[in-house]
Amino acid sequence: MAGDPRGGPLAAVEWRDLVDLTSVEIAHELFLSAPWLAASLIAAYCQIYVVALGCSFMFFLIGLRQVHNAYHYALGLPRAATEWVMFALSVLMLGSMHAVKLNHLRHHRHCMQSDDIESMSARMPGWRAILVGGDNFGARP
């Protein structure tokens, strides 16, 4: 694949976005969070709650990566299968990933504008963004 057509230092970078995934890459992406979920459940069963919490946190972060790729239909799966992946992640992550998808795609259409909920904290002073955290839905810049 060619580098950046604009030249400069990025011209040497081989870009691989928006390419077809191999079966191995698809399986890897789909099961990337599974070990963390399993480790969390095992640790909780063994009453090692600090470890379970850490594993749950990693599961959630990796789940966000997976669902982000699903939002953009970049998992290498047919559209219907991708919808089922979002549904499964909704159940496992205890939140509607389809609802989050609406805000995320709106973020791409209105990036950094006043009606971009995802970037709301980026328009705040740093101290306020930290206080608001991930709960941007009720915040105002």
Side-chain angles (χ1 to χ4, degrees):
M1 252 194 180
D4 189 338
R6 295 171 291 186
L10 293 179
V13 175
E14 184 177 328
W15 298 104
R16 284 204 68 236
D17 59 339
L18 302 176
V19 298
D20 290 333
L21 300 177
T22 67
S23 298
V24 171
E25 290 170 326
I26 292 169
H28 177 263
E29 182 63 30
L30 291 176
F31 294 102
L32 196 58
S33 62
W36 294 103
L37 178 59
S40 174
L41 294 172
I42 292 167
Y45 178 79
C46 295
Q47 298 180 355
I48 310 170
Y49 297 117
V50 173
V51 172
L53 181 64
C55 291
S56 293
F57 179 71
M58 288 302 298
F59 164 74
F60 193 82
L61 287 180
I62 295 168
L64 289 175
R65 168 197 160 146
Q66 291 172 306
V67 82
H68 178 266
N69 286 341
Y71 294 160
H72 295 286
Y73 297 99
L75 293 175
L77 298 173
R79 198 170 188 91
T82 299
E83 296 294 332
W84 279 106
V85 168
M86 276 191 277
F87 174 75
L89 287 168
S90 294
V91 171
L92 293 172
M93 296 170 73
L94 304 176
S96 174
M97 296 303 121
H98 285 88
V100 176
K101 175 185 173 185
L102 295 175
N103 278 329
H104 182 67
L105 296 180
R106 182 180 180 93
H107 160 71
H108 283 287
R109 283 191 304 273
H110 305 283
C111 192
M112 297 301 290
Q113 296 174 7
S114 63
D115 54 350
D116 178 7
I117 294 173
E118 281 194 20
S119 70
M120 193 172 290
S121 60
R123 295 186 303 272
M124 297 177 182
W127 65 269
R128 188 162 178 219
I130 290 170
L131 289 177
V132 169
D135 183 23
N136 289 331
F137 297 104
R140 295 289 174 252

